[in-house]
Amino acid sequence: GWITKVAKAGRVFTGIKWATGLAFIAAGVFFLFPAKGETGPRITWEKATASAIEQAKSAGKPVIVDFTADWCLPCKELENFTFPDKDVVELSKSFVMLKADVTTGGSPEVESLKKKFNVAGVPTIVFLDKSGVERVELRVVGFVEAPVFLGKMKGARGG
């Protein structure tokens, strides 16, 4: 409807057409600019694998596994607003931070992790304690603000 050449579309339709077009352009521009915190400290993510989880367990470190996809809007919100928070970045240094990308269906390794943790959709963030056991009550499904995420991180770390 935005590119129609109907001669008598009317002012209301034309206004709605242009407002919708500009809204989509503004949303596109939003994703072109660097995320908040991209120039500052950032979380160091590793690829999610079963062996990475086992290594963290052996080292006695808690784990955060972020199941994400490029096409996922709430995932982008986490990347732009929650993960760049300075307190989240600082506390992430005491975790093994793993990212499981399911953009194109995921690798067999990621699919195995999805099945193991019963992940139905993205974003899903799984918290494992130092012994490698999931803290189910801390699981995040969808977008959460930095203070909420920070509280869950503290719970997974044990304080």
Side-chain angles (χ1 to χ4, degrees), residues 106-127:
S107 67
E109 181 82 35
V110 170
E111 290 301 317
S112 173
L113 291 174
K114 275 179 59 180
K115 188 173 183 177
K116 176 181 179 179
F117 294 113
N118 197 27
V119 173
V122 292
T124 298
I125 303 172
V126 175
F127 295 83

Side-chain angles (χ1 to χ4, degrees), residues 20-96:
T20 303
L22 291 173
F24 278 106
I25 291 169
V29 169
F30 170 77
F31 289 112
L32 287 177
F33 289 101
K36 174 181 152 188
E38 256 187 46
T39 56
R42 298 183 45 114
I43 293 175
T44 303
W45 295 96
E46 299 174 33
K47 186 176 179 183
T49 63
S51 63
I53 292 171
E54 282 302 314
Q55 287 174 353
K57 181 179 172 182
S58 296
K61 289 190 81 172
V63 177
I64 296 176
V65 184
D66 175 25
F67 290 88
T68 187
D70 289 345
W71 43 261
C72 167
L73 184 59
C75 300
K76 298 236 183 254
E77 290 176 318
L78 286 166
E79 288 292 333
N80 289 327
F81 303 114
T82 303
F83 298 153
D85 180 84
K86 65 179 176 56
D87 295 327
V88 170
V89 171
E90 187 59 35
L91 190 55
S92 75
K93 295 174 185 173
S94 63
F95 286 84
V96 173

